Amino acid sequence: GGHMPEAGFAYNEVIKSLYADDFIQNKQIDAIFMPCGTGTSQAGIIYGNEDRAVKIYGVTIARPIERCITEIDTILNGMARIEGKEHQECEINVIESGIRNYGAINDVIEGVIEEIAVSDGIYLDPIYNAPAFYGMRCFLKSHQEYKNVIYINTGGVPNVFLNKE
């Protein structure tokens, strides 16, 4: 399974690659958003974010916010232990998706999937990424200080083939 400190290092590499990209280097990124299931991906991103001012937000798709924060902190602690470092307290931001029924595919989710597929050619899966993307958009409506954000599509490709019935 992916819910372990060792798995967090994969997303640690993702954020390092992102920051090394020439396109990103010339941009002022305000925040990064991603789905938060077990919290492992978000922990890896936070771990690799180091001292940058970029806010990292997980959009919970199943768990209560407090549980997400606890799980992310546990993964971060494990990652530091693996590298022989002291675990540093850090900001862990988790927000609600606004979709209460985990795994439910409804008109809101279908609308987000269709809109992004048509506008950007990206097909968000209905279980993780479409609800998280929806939650990010709702959050950004009331947090207009974030002008340049990145959404990390963490996958979920097998979920694309689910039947909503």
Side-chain angles (χ1 to χ4, degrees):
H3 186 52
M4 63 180 86
E6 294 83 357
F9 287 107
Y11 275 91
N12 182 34
E13 292 301 315
V14 166
I15 195 69
K16 287 179 181 178
S17 295
L18 181 68
Y19 286 137
D21 185 271
D22 290 338
F23 178 76
I24 297 299
Q25 287 181 356
N26 299 321
K27 305 287 183 210
Q28 174 60 42
I29 304 301
D30 300 316
I32 297 173
F33 292 82
M34 73 200 70
C36 182
T38 66
T40 305
S41 301
Q42 186 175 351
I45 296 292
I46 291 169
Y47 196 82
N49 197 46
E50 298 168 345
D51 296 325
R52 291 181 170 82
V54 176
K55 296 275 191 183
I56 308 296
Y57 287 94
V59 184
T60 181
I61 47 97
R63 295 181 172 173
I65 289 174
E66 298 77 23
R67 170 98 188 267
C68 292
I69 291 171
T70 299
E71 296 292 336
I72 292 165
D73 192 57
T74 300
I75 296 289
L76 288 167
N77 190 27
M79 292 174 74
R81 192 174 47 253
I82 288 168
E83 291 197 327
K85 297 179 179 178
E86 187 72 27
H87 175 51
Q88 303 293 318
E89 291 298 317
C90 61
E91 184 177 19
I92 300 173
N93 301 301
V94 180
I95 60 174
E96 293 284 345
S97 69
I99 305 296
R100 296 276 180 228
N101 193 0
Y102 175 72
I105 303 171
N106 57 34
D107 291 343
V108 171
I109 296 304
E110 287 180 347
V112 169
I113 291 168
E114 182 178 346
E115 178 187 344
I116 300 306
V118 170
S119 67
D120 298 301
I122 298 168
Y123 196 89
L124 300 173
D125 80 278
I127 305 302
Y128 293 100
N129 283 288
F133 194 88
Y134 174 78
M136 174 193 71
R137 285 172 53 180
C138 291
F139 178 82
L140 291 173
K141 285 179 184 174
S142 62
H143 290 82
Q144 295 182 3
E145 68 271 20
Y146 297 120
K147 303 294 182 203
N148 295 311
V149 302
I150 293 174
Y151 178 82
I152 298 178
N153 183 348
T154 58
V157 171
N159 296 327
V160 167
F161 302 105
L162 291 175
N163 184 341
K164 76 173 187 173
E165 297 176 43

